[in-house]
Amino acid sequence: MRRVLLGMMLVPAVVGGGYFTASGARTASASPVESRPSGKLSRMLEGDFLASSLHVPAIRRKACRVDAPSLGERAVYVEERWERGPGRPYAQRLLVVSDVGDGGARVREFTLSDPGALAGACDRAERVTVAAADVSERVGCDLSLTLRDGRFTGRIEGRRCESILNGATHAKRAMEVGEREFTVHDRGYNDHDTVAWGSPDAIRYARQSR
């Protein structure tokens, strides 16, 4: 099966590092149901997922709450691995979720300066803390989502989200998040708005467990 370039998710996994520190035991009550949109969205994004698409091999995704007090109240660490292949993650990132004034939520995405230090964090007994100095925000790639009928939807349009993979200059994203599944459609475009990377169809992530 041909592997499609997934540009907004490709972050090299490097072994080593140790700037992430334990901040407390991970328990089932770490992600309570909250009334604010940011709480609902972060809870929906957490857990174990299996992704499927007609054009992409199966992906295992794990996401869990971490503490990042200098970045925001709700931070979610995400790592993805191929279902069949090397055990280490091929993509890692930090998402910081906040409320926006219209009753929706905003997701900011950060890359890690030392991904290996956080690999496997969702399987650890204790929640870790991430310092602002150890991540870099993907400026222009923040995503605002609107809550309607129990689902969040949002898009990144225009040229504000930079991508240089495979000759691209910018990336676009469409995302829909529900309780049991969510879909993401990432694609990169060049200066002529021709697709440079990305799957022709959205990738569906089905929840396996919390």
Side-chain angles (χ1 to χ4, degrees), residues 21-35:
T21 58
S23 63
R26 184 186 306 282
T27 68
S29 61
S31 301
V33 176
E34 301 180 39
S35 59

Side-chain angles (χ1 to χ4, degrees), residues 43-51 59-64 79 122-123 180 182 205-210:
R43 180 177 54 81
M44 289 177 176
L45 292 173
E46 295 167 36
D48 295 347
F49 297 84
L50 180 62
I59 299 168
R60 284 282 177 182
R61 171 188 171 113
K62 286 193 174 185
C64 56
E79 66 179 32
C122 295
D123 296 322
R180 296 185 178 181
F182 67 92
Y205 292 81
R207 180 179 299 282
Q208 306 298 298
S209 68
R210 278 198 194 281

Side-chain angles (χ1 to χ4, degrees), residues 3-205:
R3 289 193 173 184
V4 178
L5 292 171
L6 305 177
M8 294 187 76
M9 299 192 297
L10 291 179
V11 180
V14 181
V15 177
Y19 54 82
F20 300 99
T21 58
S23 63
R26 184 186 306 282
T27 68
S29 61
S31 301
V33 176
E34 301 180 39
S35 59
R36 288 190 289 174
S38 60
K40 293 179 180 179
L41 180 57
S42 63
R43 180 177 54 81
M44 289 177 176
L45 292 173
E46 295 167 36
D48 295 347
F49 297 84
L50 180 62
S52 60
S53 166
L54 293 175
H55 301 90
V56 178
I59 299 168
R60 284 282 177 182
R61 171 188 171 113
K62 286 193 174 185
C64 56
R65 283 287 296 273
V66 297
D67 291 327
S70 56
L71 297 173
E73 183 180 358
R74 295 176 180 83
V76 179
Y77 165 68
V78 179
E79 66 179 32
E80 296 184 344
R81 310 166 187 258
W82 299 115
E83 173 73 356
R84 297 181 180 179
R88 69 179 186 176
Y90 74 84
Q92 297 167 256
R93 56 200 173 279
L94 182 72
L95 307 177
V96 175
V97 185
S98 58
D99 293 304
V100 293
D102 61 356
R106 178 187 179 213
V107 179
R108 297 155 58 207
E109 183 174 329
F110 295 77
T111 59
L112 313 177
S113 59
D114 186 358
L118 200 54
C122 295
D123 296 322
R124 301 179 191 178
E126 298 181 327
R127 186 188 294 184
V128 298
T129 297
V130 181
D134 299 316
V135 296
S136 298
E137 184 172 1
R138 296 194 65 208
V139 178
C141 299
D142 55 296
L143 179 65
S144 292
L145 298 103
T146 301
L147 176 61
R148 180 176 295 177
D149 298 327
R151 298 181 70 83
F152 287 90
T153 58
R155 289 179 175 272
I156 297 174
E157 296 286 4
R159 297 171 178 259
R160 63 185 176 91
C161 183
E162 180 181 358
S163 171
I164 59 174
L165 179 66
N166 204 39
T169 58
H170 60 284
K172 299 180 182 181
R173 166 176 289 175
M175 189 170 187
E176 182 173 344
V177 185
E179 286 284 354
R180 296 185 178 181
E181 65 177 26
F182 67 92
T183 59
V184 181
H185 196 185
D186 289 338
R187 303 182 88 178
Y189 297 81
N190 61 24
D191 279 331
H192 304 289
D193 258 351
T194 300
V195 175
W197 57 259
S199 174
D201 59 328
I203 298 176
R204 174 181 174 271
Y205 292 81

